Amino acid sequence: MDFEAHRDHLIGVAYRMLGSLADAEDAVQETWLRMARTDTAEVRNPAGWLRTVLSRVCLDVLRQRARHEPEADPDPAPGADREVLLADEVGRALLVVLDRLGPDERVAFVLHDVFAVPFDEIAPIVGRTTATAKKLASRARAKVRGAAPGPDTAGHRRVIEAFLAASRTGDLDAIVAVLSPDVVRRADGRPEVRGARVVAEEIVVFGRNARFADFALLDGEPGLVIAPDGRLRLAIRFTLDGERVAGYELITEPARLERITLTLG
């Protein structure tokens, strides 16, 4: 069995399940070790066999995590380009939402909804019946997608994405253009800031984190999440005035972040 021919695919599966490149690479390595200890001469579908073994490894990791308090994640190492590219490819908001699923839900959702694995193959991986595996994926899908978006969501998304695009450029005039003249910035533990120019100047300084931002619904309302490593570090709620941002709030306190219902819409 040519393991290297499947490595990139396995990394992609494991990363979506575990949300960490280091953990994904460890899971793929464990899969290789299990393959090396197994007689695979009669395996007819190497990709499916390896994905099944990998999924069981990932499920064990997720269940282990669920039994322990999660530790604070260190900031991504400088130059961790591969993880940045993977997070961009997968979608940071999706990684954040997946992180809130139960282990079995996450595995069922990733395998079925992302990689189109049939439920009769997923069932033995999670140790459930086929019908229960379908229910796991359905519950996960409801948590990921949430309720149907409101009628104004598309318009609000355009404004927020224009704000994000301007923030990423670091162009002061472009940022001012998407803000109302009397815009208000609020934040946990920081003084309130008012006025388009002052707020824009702050964004120019701190807007480097905009590269880690992604659109999401926060309690059903359009907003942004900042997730450098696929873990939620900051959420931004917006107040809009037509095609401009009238105000926004930066939420960084872990307890407040945990209470937010996040969906992709």
Side-chain angles (χ1 to χ4, degrees), residues 112-186:
H112 182 265
D113 285 44
V114 180
F115 293 101
V117 177
F119 285 116
D120 59 353
E121 294 181 24
I122 296 171
I125 293 172
V126 296
R128 310 293 184 91
T129 65
T130 299
T132 302
K134 288 181 180 178
K135 290 179 182 177
L136 286 170
S138 178
R139 281 206 306 267
R141 197 175 303 118
K143 292 177 181 178
V144 170
R145 299 298 173 187
D152 297 329
T153 299
H156 291 173
R157 178 169 187 156
R158 280 197 305 273
V159 177
I160 292 170
E161 289 184 340
F163 168 89
L164 179 57
S167 300
R168 285 173 171 162
T169 68
D171 184 317
L172 185 64
D173 291 335
I175 298 169
V176 169
V178 299
L179 303 175
S180 293
D182 54 353
V183 63
V184 180
R185 190 276 293 148
R186 297 180 177 86

Side-chain angles (χ1 to χ4, degrees), residues 12-13 16 27 36 51 82 98 106 142 145 149 152 160 162 259 265:
V13 174
R16 286 163 174 82
R51 188 174 55 226
R82 191 178 178 199
L98 289 178
R106 184 166 184 167
R145 299 298 173 187
D152 297 329
I160 292 170
R259 289 195 296 269

Side-chain angles (χ1 to χ4, degrees), residues 71-76 96 100 188 209 212 224-236 250-254 257 262:
E71 297 179 3
D73 293 311
D75 289 331
V96 171
R100 297 190 171 194
D188 291 335
N209 287 328
F212 302 121
L224 293 174
V225 292
I226 311 294
D229 48 3
R231 302 290 194 277
L232 182 61
R233 301 299 183 89
L234 184 152
I236 308 178
L250 307 176
I251 302 169
T252 56
E253 291 180 0
L257 291 174
L262 292 169

